[in-house]
Amino acid sequence: MTDRYADGMAVRRRVLGDAHVDRAEAAKTAFDDPFQTMITESAWGTVWAGDAITLRERSMLTLALLAATGNFEEIPMHIRATARTGASRNDIAEAFQHVAIYAGVPRANHALKLAKQTFAEMDAEEASQ
């Protein structure tokens, strides 16, 4: 295991939570292990582990980029991560407003829909605890 992998796994757990990472690791196979290693080292061990900007800012950038590029399937996961990165619901709404202006209203609208659904699920989970 490389230092970048170990650093990446630590950041990944900090941002996404142990339960999410444990599920992802349990689902990993020999087929996707090289890909998962690359993501852990590159995305989490390099980009997310950097100290130039905060995890809050990284969350906002990630959500805006996911929405702007139409990669909607990862938005709920990153919305959930904001509970650990410090990005507020208002921060996310502001990020999606930027998406509307610079990448298109339909993408921002769909991202907001996903965020609202995910926040409702998070609120229900919190209320049931």
Side-chain angles (χ1 to χ4, degrees):
M1 179 185 321
T2 66
D3 288 344
R4 186 171 292 160
Y5 184 89
D7 292 346
M9 189 57 75
V11 172
R12 186 177 173 203
R13 287 184 178 282
R14 181 173 173 202
V15 171
L16 300 177
D18 287 330
H20 175 87
V21 175
D22 289 345
R23 283 190 305 275
E25 286 295 295
K28 187 168 60 174
T29 66
F31 177 73
D32 67 335
D33 182 61
F35 179 80
Q36 293 298 322
T37 297
M38 186 253 318
I39 293 299
T40 300
E41 290 177 346
S42 300
W44 298 107
T46 300
V47 174
W48 277 86
D51 59 4
I53 60 175
T54 66
L55 292 178
R56 173 185 165 265
E57 293 164 324
R58 288 181 197 286
S59 278
M60 293 165 61
L61 284 167
T62 299
L63 286 163
L65 286 164
L66 289 170
T69 57
N71 290 298
F72 298 113
E73 65 279 350
E74 293 212 358
I75 287 178
M77 175 182 70
H78 281 282
I79 291 289
R80 288 181 174 281
T82 63
R84 287 174 290 285
T85 65
S88 70
R89 293 178 185 202
N90 188 58
D91 290 336
I92 295 161
E94 291 289 331
F96 290 155
Q97 285 185 34
H98 274 72
V99 170
I101 297 301
Y102 293 101
V105 170
R107 288 187 177 195
N109 189 48
H110 189 62
L112 281 165
K113 175 184 171 185
L114 293 171
K116 286 169 58 176
Q117 289 171 347
T118 305
F119 284 135
E121 291 168 6
M122 292 168 68
D123 290 345
E125 290 163 6
E126 187 176 308
S128 70
Q129 293 179 359

